[in-house]
Amino acid sequence: MSTTEKILIIGAGGQIGVELTESLSKIYGNKNIIPSDLKDTGIFTNNSFEKLDALDKNALFDIVKKHGVTQVYHLAALLSATGEQNPMFAWKLNMESLFHVLDLAKEKHISQIYWPSSIAAFGPTTPRQNTPQFTIMEPSTVYGISKQAGERWCEWYYNKFGVDARSLRYPGLIGWKSAPGGGTTDYAVHIFHEALKHKTYECFLSENTALPMMHMEDAIRATIEIMQAPADKIKIRGAYNLSGISFSPKEIAEEIKKHIPDFTITYKPDFRQAIAESWPQSINDKEAREHWSWKEKYDLPKLVENMLVNLKEKALV
Ligand code: NAD
Ligand code: AKB
């Protein structure tokens, strides 16, 4: 695809960034995608990687100028579990880095921003089943507070300055190409690795703790679709609810057992149990479906089969 876009991905070395870099590179060409992160792990051999601390506004500006960046996908953050362990730094990283990117757009150095929100923006007083787009939101984690505040700031920059920031409230994301980094939903990735390696998994959530989840391929597609949608289709300038699947540890374990009959799971809930219990169990995303035609492809059986086949075939376990 020929393009005038130059796309900077901040936090590209993380669970989403690795896959997003690959997908965007296929669409826009390697030379137009600039992955960046705190450290160069050497995985981005086809793109020109930039070492960048998202808190360093001057360094960010220099990279934007150097490459003529037009769009930023800003993924750097501390997630729910690590955020609770380092609350002040989580707030600083998650908020200040977002302001740096929003200000770049306000000052017209870049034209479009993607910044992810999360189901963590909801809280214990939110209706937990089929959670609607507009509802009570009183998040109880620092991570969730930063996501809710970030949503409001994206909307405010749009209303005041016309900043074209777009956002999705991702559920827990599950993929085989990259490892998760400090979330409450991470068990749903670890379980596959342990099932293939040891045929057993000790889960840090209790058996019936249902949460909204999604295959990474669906999440990447949703991300690119919302960014490519005509501006007039984006009627929500905070963040869109986004739904894929909903399941509990017990349900995913049962599905894994269909492929690995002697797989066993045990439960040892830790501090992440309280975080999970403060989040919705399932999400209503009718606005995303109506406004920009979102539709997921993966259900639970398809997701489980895809994870096991790919982890096994690529000998990633
Ligand atoms: P991750 O922890 O796997 O990756 C984050 C990346 O950011 C890491 O590579 C890390 O090195 C980098 N980073 C951290 N501090 C940085 C800094 N100061 N400057 C530059 N880079 C820095 O996270 P992820 O799962 O890929 O999540 C990306 C975004 O998506 C986050 O905003 C997260 O809140 C959101 N999100 C993720 C999920 C999920 O299930 N993965 C769900 C909801 C929302
Ligand atoms: C987490 O568990 O922190 C993330 C998320 C749902 O935001 N996966």
Side-chain angles (χ1 to χ4, degrees), residues 13-16 37 52-54 75 77 93 116-117 143 147 170-171 173 181:
Q15 190 194 5
I16 299 173
D37 209 301
L52 171 68
D53 180 349
L75 306 176
L93 173 62
S117 184
Y143 173 65
K147 290 300 183 189
Y170 290 137
L173 303 182

Side-chain angles (χ1 to χ4, degrees), residues 79-81 118-120 143 170-173 182-186 279:
L79 277 73
S80 58
S118 161
I119 51 162
Y143 173 65
Y170 290 137
L173 303 182
T184 301
T185 58
D186 293 8
W279 291 352

Side-chain angles (χ1 to χ4, degrees), residues 26 32 47 83-84 97 144 151 177 185 205 219 222 227 250 258 267 274 281 302 310 317:
K26 278 189 193 140
N32 295 313
N47 305 82
E84 287 309 283
S97 61
E151 289 188 15
K177 294 183 187 171
T185 58
L205 298 182
M227 284 295 275
K250 187 176 172 195
K258 291 182 188 165
Y267 302 94
Q281 296 182 328
K302 216 168 140 188
N310 280 296
V317 167

Side-chain angles (χ1 to χ4, degrees), residues 7-22 24 33-37 44 52 54 60 72-79 93-94 97-98 101 113-117 143 147 166-168 170 173 178 181 216 219-220 223 227:
I7 300 176
L8 175 66
I9 304 173
I10 303 175
Q15 190 194 5
I16 299 173
V18 168
E19 300 211 26
L20 188 63
T21 302
E22 189 183 305
L24 288 173
I33 307 302
I34 302 116
S36 72
D37 209 301
F44 299 110
L52 171 68
L60 170 62
V72 173
Y73 286 68
H74 174 31
L75 306 176
L78 282 202
L79 277 73
L93 173 62
N94 295 7
S97 61
L98 175 60
V101 175
I113 296 169
Y114 179 77
W115 168 84
S117 184
Y143 173 65
K147 290 300 183 189
R166 304 182 181 195
S167 182
L168 299 169
Y170 290 137
L173 303 182
S178 52
M216 185 63 85
I220 298 293
T223 305
M227 284 295 275

Side-chain angles (χ1 to χ4, degrees), residues 219-268:
I220 298 293
R221 190 168 48 79
T223 305
I224 295 173
E225 281 177 11
I226 193 178
M227 284 295 275
Q228 290 183 337
D232 64 346
K233 302 269 184 210
I234 309 302
K235 301 179 204 300
I236 292 172
R237 288 293 179 165
Y240 276 90
N241 273 9
L242 189 74
S243 165
I245 324 161
S246 174
F247 59 77
S248 64
K250 187 176 172 195
E251 286 164 334
I252 193 173
E254 273 162 14
E255 197 58 43
I256 290 173
K257 270 189 200 183
K258 291 182 188 165
H259 301 263
I260 307 173
D262 48 348
F263 172 65
T264 58
I265 182 165
T266 56
Y267 302 94
K268 194 174 176 197

